[in-house]
Amino acid sequence: AQRVTQPEKLLSVFKGAPVELKCNYSYSGSPELFWYVQYSRQRLQLLLRHISRESIKGFTADLNKGETSFHLKKPFAQEEDSAMYYCALQGAQKLVFGQGTRLTINP
Amino acid sequence: GAGVSQSPRYKVAKRGQDVALRCDPISGHVSLFWYQQALGQGPEFLTYFQNEAQLDKSGLPSDRFFAERPEGSVSTLKIQRTQQEDSAVYLCASSQGLRGVNTEAFFGQGTRLTVV
């Protein structure tokens, strides 16, 4: 079965501090992992995907198959990073989301 | 087009009423997904289409829920005899491909359904 777990519903850090949003997954095959973000009053949008190995808005995420994790990291948080973040897994077909983490950056 | 478009944006239905939610995906996108998002929760998968074929409907919560995409473009999610627990935001997403670099899912703004 496909499952994505985001253990933190809420995360609050100060501006300039490092951020790590945790994501663990369960999937027997070779998954594609994504992070989606939803800013206030906007639609859900892709932040980054593991196959691209890119950094978007200073965020990176490394797929660790041994730990079945895909944590999202940023070394220095900015106020505009405040949003809902969803980790997602695509198996053979469907895209499955975690419950989401609400990230708040305090000034 | 401008992206994935959903209508209506808001729908209030009396309990027991049937509703139909529409999704216009990005032109040429093969994959189309429907999700249900309850307040404070992540999107929960409902069903998936590859062109006109409904390949996965394992997430539909009951036989009151029905989705179709007859010509492989526009999709409709129908809920019969709505119940209060159906109140949620219904999201539609489409993607160009099946796997690899074209699997970015583009989301609509959702339809907020309130059953009273």
Side-chain angles (χ1 to χ4, degrees), chain B residues 1-2 8-10 15-16 21 23 36 38 55 64 74 77 80-81 84 91 94 96 98-99 110-111 116:
Chain B
R9 288 289 312 280
Y10 303 92
R15 189 166 48 183
L21 312 180
C23 173
Q36 180 189 60
L55 299 186
R64 296 187 295 105
V74 172
L77 176 67
Q80 297 177 322
R81 305 181 303 281
Q84 282 193 315
L91 296 171
S94 69
Q96 186 175 2
L98 302 177
R99 290 184 67 83
T111 295
V116 297

PDB file of all heavy atoms in Angstrom, chain B residues 1-2 8-10 15-16 21 23 36 38 55 64 74 77 80-81 84 91 94 96 98-99 110-111 116:
ATOM      1  N   GLY B   1      -4.916  26.797 -21.922  1.00  0.00           N
ATOM      2  CA  GLY B   1      -5.685  27.600 -21.000  1.00  0.00           C
ATOM      3  C   GLY B   1      -4.841  28.105 -19.850  1.00  0.00           C
ATOM      4  O   GLY B   1      -3.636  27.899 -19.793  1.00  0.00           O
ATOM      5  N   ALA B   2      -5.525  28.690 -18.872  1.00  0.00           N
ATOM      6  CA  ALA B   2      -4.836  29.309 -17.758  1.00  0.00           C
ATOM      7  C   ALA B   2      -4.467  28.307 -16.696  1.00  0.00           C
ATOM      8  O   ALA B   2      -3.797  28.661 -15.735  1.00  0.00           O
ATOM      9  CB  ALA B   2      -5.713  30.405 -17.159  1.00  0.00           C
ATOM     10  N   PRO B   8     -18.602  24.451  -9.737  1.00  0.00           N
ATOM     11  CA  PRO B   8     -18.532  25.803  -9.196  1.00  0.00           C
ATOM     12  C   PRO B   8     -17.426  25.918  -8.155  1.00  0.00           C
ATOM     13  O   PRO B   8     -16.869  24.914  -7.732  1.00  0.00           O
ATOM     14  CB  PRO B   8     -19.919  25.964  -8.549  1.00  0.00           C
ATOM     15  CG  PRO B   8     -20.271  24.579  -8.099  1.00  0.00           C
ATOM     16  CD  PRO B   8     -19.725  23.661  -9.159  1.00  0.00           C
ATOM     17  N   ARG B   9     -17.098  27.105  -7.746  1.00  0.00           N
ATOM     18  CA  ARG B   9     -16.099  27.289  -6.691  1.00  0.00           C
ATOM     19  C   ARG B   9     -16.700  26.937  -5.329  1.00  0.00           C
ATOM     20  O   ARG B   9     -16.011  26.421  -4.451  1.00  0.00           O
ATOM     21  CB  ARG B   9     -15.605  28.733  -6.659  1.00  0.00           C
ATOM     22  CG  ARG B   9     -14.707  29.113  -7.828  1.00  0.00           C
ATOM     23  CD  ARG B   9     -13.332  28.445  -7.746  1.00  0.00           C
ATOM     24  NE  ARG B   9     -12.714  28.562  -6.441  1.00  0.00           N
ATOM     25  CZ  ARG B   9     -12.077  29.634  -6.004  1.00  0.00           C
ATOM     26  NH1 ARG B   9     -11.977  30.703  -6.763  1.00  0.00           N
ATOM     27  NH2 ARG B   9     -11.522  29.640  -4.802  1.00  0.00           N
ATOM     28  N   TYR B  10     -17.964  27.249  -5.169  1.00  0.00           N
ATOM     29  CA  TYR B  10     -18.660  26.970  -3.925  1.00  0.00           C
ATOM     30  C   TYR B  10     -20.014  26.350  -4.258  1.00  0.00           C
ATOM     31  O   TYR B  10     -20.667  26.755  -5.209  1.00  0.00           O
ATOM     32  CB  TYR B  10     -18.880  28.249  -3.107  1.00  0.00           C
ATOM     33  CG  TYR B  10     -17.600  28.996  -2.797  1.00  0.00           C
ATOM     34  CD1 TYR B  10     -17.149  29.998  -3.649  1.00  0.00           C
ATOM     35  CD2 TYR B  10     -16.852  28.684  -1.672  1.00  0.00           C
ATOM     36  CE1 TYR B  10     -15.965  30.669  -3.384  1.00  0.00           C
ATOM     37  CE2 TYR B  10     -15.672  29.359  -1.390  1.00  0.00           C
ATOM     38  CZ  TYR B  10     -15.230  30.343  -2.252  1.00  0.00           C
ATOM     39  OH  TYR B  10     -14.070  31.007  -1.986  1.00  0.00           O
ATOM     40  N   ARG B  15     -29.021  18.226   2.381  1.00  0.00           N
ATOM     41  CA  ARG B  15     -28.797  16.792   2.566  1.00  0.00           C
ATOM     42  C   ARG B  15     -29.790  16.004   1.718  1.00  0.00           C
ATOM     43  O   ARG B  15     -30.984  16.286   1.725  1.00  0.00           O
ATOM     44  CB  ARG B  15     -28.943  16.431   4.041  1.00  0.00           C
ATOM     45  CG  ARG B  15     -28.510  15.020   4.376  1.00  0.00           C
ATOM     46  CD  ARG B  15     -28.345  14.817   5.859  1.00  0.00           C
ATOM     47  NE  ARG B  15     -29.475  15.316   6.617  1.00  0.00           N
ATOM     48  CZ  ARG B  15     -29.542  15.313   7.939  1.00  0.00           C
ATOM     49  NH1 ARG B  15     -28.514  14.885   8.644  1.00  0.00           N
ATOM     50  NH2 ARG B  15     -30.590  15.765   8.552  1.00  0.00           N
ATOM     51  N   GLY B  16     -29.233  15.049   0.971  1.00  0.00           N
ATOM     52  CA  GLY B  16     -30.075  14.249   0.099  1.00  0.00           C
ATOM     53  C   GLY B  16     -30.079  14.702  -1.341  1.00  0.00           C
ATOM     54  O   GLY B  16     -30.523  13.967  -2.230  1.00  0.00           O
ATOM     55  N   LEU B  21     -19.765  18.160  -9.856  1.00  0.00           N
ATOM     56  CA  LEU B  21     -18.618  19.063  -9.814  1.00  0.00           C
ATOM     57  C   LEU B  21     -17.814  18.857 -11.091  1.00  0.00           C
ATOM     58  O   LEU B  21     -17.517  17.723 -11.468  1.00  0.00           O
ATOM     59  CB  LEU B  21     -17.755  18.757  -8.580  1.00  0.00           C
ATOM     60  CG  LEU B  21     -18.494  18.625  -7.244  1.00  0.00           C
ATOM     61  CD1 LEU B  21     -17.520  18.334  -6.123  1.00  0.00           C
ATOM     62  CD2 LEU B  21     -19.331  19.849  -6.952  1.00  0.00           C
ATOM     63  N   CYS B  23     -14.503  19.578 -13.707  1.00  0.00           N
ATOM     64  CA  CYS B  23     -13.068  19.879 -13.798  1.00  0.00           C
ATOM     65  C   CYS B  23     -12.653  19.979 -15.255  1.00  0.00           C
ATOM     66  O   CYS B  23     -12.873  19.042 -16.032  1.00  0.00           O
ATOM     67  CB  CYS B  23     -12.250  18.782 -13.114  1.00  0.00           C
ATOM     68  SG  CYS B  23     -10.464  18.964 -13.341  1.00  0.00           S
ATOM     69  N   GLN B  36     -10.356  14.613  -2.225  1.00  0.00           N
ATOM     70  CA  GLN B  36     -11.259  15.206  -1.238  1.00  0.00           C
ATOM     71  C   GLN B  36     -10.386  15.722  -0.098  1.00  0.00           C
ATOM     72  O   GLN B  36      -9.550  14.983   0.432  1.00  0.00           O
ATOM     73  CB  GLN B  36     -12.234  14.147  -0.713  1.00  0.00           C
ATOM     74  CG  GLN B  36     -13.226  14.659   0.311  1.00  0.00           C
ATOM     75  CD  GLN B  36     -14.010  13.510   0.945  1.00  0.00           C
ATOM     76  OE1 GLN B  36     -13.437  12.623   1.557  1.00  0.00           O
ATOM     77  NE2 GLN B  36     -15.324  13.524   0.786  1.00  0.00           N
ATOM     78  N   ALA B  38     -10.758  17.374   3.538  1.00  0.00           N
ATOM     79  CA  ALA B  38     -11.540  17.835   4.676  1.00  0.00           C
ATOM     80  C   ALA B  38     -10.754  18.914   5.407  1.00  0.00           C
ATOM     81  O   ALA B  38      -9.528  19.023   5.253  1.00  0.00           O
ATOM     82  CB  ALA B  38     -11.836  16.658   5.599  1.00  0.00           C
ATOM     83  N   LEU B  55      -8.791   4.296 -14.157  1.00  0.00           N
ATOM     84  CA  LEU B  55      -7.911   3.194 -13.789  1.00  0.00           C
ATOM     85  C   LEU B  55      -7.910   2.875 -12.310  1.00  0.00           C
ATOM     86  O   LEU B  55      -7.490   1.785 -11.918  1.00  0.00           O
ATOM     87  CB  LEU B  55      -6.480   3.475 -14.261  1.00  0.00           C
ATOM     88  CG  LEU B  55      -6.282   3.630 -15.766  1.00  0.00           C
ATOM     89  CD1 LEU B  55      -4.806   3.756 -16.099  1.00  0.00           C
ATOM     90  CD2 LEU B  55      -6.910   2.466 -16.519  1.00  0.00           C
ATOM     91  N   ARG B  64     -22.196   6.229  -3.646  1.00  0.00           N
ATOM     92  CA  ARG B  64     -22.862   7.495  -3.971  1.00  0.00           C
ATOM     93  C   ARG B  64     -21.959   8.393  -4.805  1.00  0.00           C
ATOM     94  O   ARG B  64     -22.422   9.370  -5.386  1.00  0.00           O
ATOM     95  CB  ARG B  64     -23.256   8.224  -2.681  1.00  0.00           C
ATOM     96  CG  ARG B  64     -24.284   7.496  -1.828  1.00  0.00           C
ATOM     97  CD  ARG B  64     -24.741   8.359  -0.657  1.00  0.00           C
ATOM     98  NE  ARG B  64     -23.655   8.634   0.297  1.00  0.00           N
ATOM     99  CZ  ARG B  64     -23.037   9.803   0.394  1.00  0.00           C
ATOM    100  NH1 ARG B  64     -23.379  10.806  -0.395  1.00  0.00           N
ATOM    101  NH2 ARG B  64     -22.094   9.968   1.292  1.00  0.00           N
ATOM    102  N   VAL B  74     -12.611  16.916 -20.105  1.00  0.00           N
ATOM    103  CA  VAL B  74     -13.407  17.369 -18.963  1.00  0.00           C
ATOM    104  C   VAL B  74     -13.864  16.167 -18.125  1.00  0.00           C
ATOM    105  O   VAL B  74     -14.206  15.106 -18.658  1.00  0.00           O
ATOM    106  CB  VAL B  74     -14.632  18.157 -19.449  1.00  0.00           C
ATOM    107  CG1 VAL B  74     -15.580  18.461 -18.302  1.00  0.00           C
ATOM    108  CG2 VAL B  74     -14.184  19.443 -20.137  1.00  0.00           C
ATOM    109  N   LEU B  77     -17.361  14.912 -11.300  1.00  0.00           N
ATOM    110  CA  LEU B  77     -17.519  14.112 -10.084  1.00  0.00           C
ATOM    111  C   LEU B  77     -18.943  14.327  -9.593  1.00  0.00           C
ATOM    112  O   LEU B  77     -19.354  15.448  -9.351  1.00  0.00           O
ATOM    113  CB  LEU B  77     -16.518  14.542  -9.006  1.00  0.00           C
ATOM    114  CG  LEU B  77     -16.637  13.841  -7.648  1.00  0.00           C
ATOM    115  CD1 LEU B  77     -16.273  12.365  -7.772  1.00  0.00           C
ATOM    116  CD2 LEU B  77     -15.736  14.515  -6.614  1.00  0.00           C
ATOM    117  N   GLN B  80     -24.270  11.544  -5.182  1.00  0.00           N
ATOM    118  CA  GLN B  80     -25.720  11.360  -5.048  1.00  0.00           C
ATOM    119  C   GLN B  80     -26.108  11.363  -3.580  1.00  0.00           C
ATOM    120  O   GLN B  80     -25.336  10.933  -2.711  1.00  0.00           O
ATOM    121  CB  GLN B  80     -26.133  10.039  -5.702  1.00  0.00           C
ATOM    122  CG  GLN B  80     -25.868   9.981  -7.198  1.00  0.00           C
ATOM    123  CD  GLN B  80     -26.220   8.624  -7.788  1.00  0.00           C
ATOM    124  OE1 GLN B  80     -25.994   7.589  -7.172  1.00  0.00           O
ATOM    125  NE2 GLN B  80     -26.779   8.633  -8.989  1.00  0.00           N
ATOM    126  N   ARG B  81     -27.295  11.866  -3.321  1.00  0.00           N
ATOM    127  CA  ARG B  81     -27.864  11.827  -1.954  1.00  0.00           C
ATOM    128  C   ARG B  81     -26.829  12.308  -0.938  1.00  0.00           C
ATOM    129  O   ARG B  81     -26.447  11.593  -0.017  1.00  0.00           O
ATOM    130  CB  ARG B  81     -28.339  10.415  -1.618  1.00  0.00           C
ATOM    131  CG  ARG B  81     -29.335   9.851  -2.626  1.00  0.00           C
ATOM    132  CD  ARG B  81     -29.796   8.446  -2.227  1.00  0.00           C
ATOM    133  NE  ARG B  81     -28.699   7.499  -2.083  1.00  0.00           N
ATOM    134  CZ  ARG B  81     -28.088   6.893  -3.080  1.00  0.00           C
ATOM    135  NH1 ARG B  81     -28.458   7.148  -4.330  1.00  0.00           N
ATOM    136  NH2 ARG B  81     -27.119   6.032  -2.847  1.00  0.00           N
ATOM    137  N   GLN B  84     -23.878  15.032   5.263  1.00  0.00           N
ATOM    138  CA  GLN B  84     -23.065  16.084   5.884  1.00  0.00           C
ATOM    139  C   GLN B  84     -21.582  15.742   5.849  1.00  0.00           C
ATOM    140  O   GLN B  84     -20.748  16.641   5.691  1.00  0.00           O
ATOM    141  CB  GLN B  84     -23.535  16.347   7.313  1.00  0.00           C
ATOM    142  CG  GLN B  84     -24.794  17.179   7.384  1.00  0.00           C
ATOM    143  CD  GLN B  84     -25.078  17.701   8.765  1.00  0.00           C
ATOM    144  OE1 GLN B  84     -24.977  16.965   9.734  1.00  0.00           O
ATOM    145  NE2 GLN B  84     -25.452  18.965   8.853  1.00  0.00           N
ATOM    146  N   LEU B  91     -10.776  18.658  -4.901  1.00  0.00           N
ATOM    147  CA  LEU B  91      -9.695  19.142  -5.758  1.00  0.00           C
ATOM    148  C   LEU B  91      -9.554  18.256  -6.986  1.00  0.00           C
ATOM    149  O   LEU B  91      -9.653  17.036  -6.898  1.00  0.00           O
ATOM    150  CB  LEU B  91      -8.370  19.128  -5.001  1.00  0.00           C
ATOM    151  CG  LEU B  91      -8.242  20.040  -3.782  1.00  0.00           C
ATOM    152  CD1 LEU B  91      -6.954  19.745  -3.032  1.00  0.00           C
ATOM    153  CD2 LEU B  91      -8.282  21.489  -4.204  1.00  0.00           C
ATOM    154  N   SER B  94      -4.380  17.678 -12.852  1.00  0.00           N
ATOM    155  CA  SER B  94      -4.028  16.977 -14.087  1.00  0.00           C
ATOM    156  C   SER B  94      -2.519  17.014 -14.281  1.00  0.00           C
ATOM    157  O   SER B  94      -1.833  17.905 -13.767  1.00  0.00           O
ATOM    158  CB  SER B  94      -4.738  17.592 -15.299  1.00  0.00           C
ATOM    159  OG  SER B  94      -4.240  18.877 -15.607  1.00  0.00           O
ATOM    160  N   GLN B  96       0.703  15.931 -17.329  1.00  0.00           N
ATOM    161  CA  GLN B  96       0.929  15.671 -18.748  1.00  0.00           C
ATOM    162  C   GLN B  96       1.245  14.210 -19.025  1.00  0.00           C
ATOM    163  O   GLN B  96       0.804  13.656 -20.024  1.00  0.00           O
ATOM    164  CB  GLN B  96       2.081  16.549 -19.234  1.00  0.00           C
ATOM    165  CG  GLN B  96       2.336  16.488 -20.723  1.00  0.00           C
ATOM    166  CD  GLN B  96       3.417  17.476 -21.143  1.00  0.00           C
ATOM    167  OE1 GLN B  96       3.984  18.177 -20.306  1.00  0.00           O
ATOM    168  NE2 GLN B  96       3.717  17.527 -22.416  1.00  0.00           N
ATOM    169  N   LEU B  98       2.827  10.179 -17.333  1.00  0.00           N
ATOM    170  CA  LEU B  98       2.539   9.123 -16.381  1.00  0.00           C
ATOM    171  C   LEU B  98       3.623   9.012 -15.329  1.00  0.00           C
ATOM    172  O   LEU B  98       3.365   8.884 -14.163  1.00  0.00           O
ATOM    173  CB  LEU B  98       2.382   7.789 -17.122  1.00  0.00           C
ATOM    174  CG  LEU B  98       1.292   7.790 -18.197  1.00  0.00           C
ATOM    175  CD1 LEU B  98       1.257   6.461 -18.935  1.00  0.00           C
ATOM    176  CD2 LEU B  98      -0.059   8.091 -17.576  1.00  0.00           C
ATOM    177  N   ARG B  99       4.854   9.059 -15.724  1.00  0.00           N
ATOM    178  CA  ARG B  99       5.964   8.991 -14.788  1.00  0.00           C
ATOM    179  C   ARG B  99       7.090   9.865 -15.320  1.00  0.00           C
ATOM    180  O   ARG B  99       7.092  10.259 -16.462  1.00  0.00           O
ATOM    181  CB  ARG B  99       6.452   7.545 -14.629  1.00  0.00           C
ATOM    182  CG  ARG B  99       5.504   6.647 -13.889  1.00  0.00           C
ATOM    183  CD  ARG B  99       6.118   5.269 -13.690  1.00  0.00           C
ATOM    184  NE  ARG B  99       7.252   5.287 -12.789  1.00  0.00           N
ATOM    185  CZ  ARG B  99       7.153   5.252 -11.462  1.00  0.00           C
ATOM    186  NH1 ARG B  99       5.964   5.240 -10.897  1.00  0.00           N
ATOM    187  NH2 ARG B  99       8.220   5.246 -10.707  1.00  0.00           N
ATOM    188  N   GLY B 110     -10.267  24.167  -6.578  1.00  0.00           N
ATOM    189  CA  GLY B 110     -11.153  23.368  -5.750  1.00  0.00           C
ATOM    190  C   GLY B 110     -12.583  23.860  -5.748  1.00  0.00           C
ATOM    191  O   GLY B 110     -12.872  25.013  -6.071  1.00  0.00           O
ATOM    192  N   THR B 111     -13.470  22.952  -5.397  1.00  0.00           N
ATOM    193  CA  THR B 111     -14.877  23.271  -5.146  1.00  0.00           C
ATOM    194  C   THR B 111     -15.157  22.981  -3.685  1.00  0.00           C
ATOM    195  O   THR B 111     -14.946  21.858  -3.225  1.00  0.00           O
ATOM    196  CB  THR B 111     -15.821  22.424  -6.015  1.00  0.00           C
ATOM    197  OG1 THR B 111     -15.635  22.755  -7.387  1.00  0.00           O
ATOM    198  CG2 THR B 111     -17.277  22.665  -5.614  1.00  0.00           C
ATOM    199  N   VAL B 116     -25.886  20.954   4.010  1.00  0.00           N
ATOM    200  CA  VAL B 116     -26.617  21.446   5.190  1.00  0.00           C
ATOM    201  C   VAL B 116     -27.887  20.624   5.431  1.00  0.00           C
ATOM    202  O   VAL B 116     -28.347  19.905   4.550  1.00  0.00           O
ATOM    203  CB  VAL B 116     -26.960  22.937   5.022  1.00  0.00           C
ATOM    204  CG1 VAL B 116     -25.695  23.759   4.937  1.00  0.00           C
ATOM    205  CG2 VAL B 116     -27.848  23.161   3.792  1.00  0.00           C
TER     206      VAL B 116
END
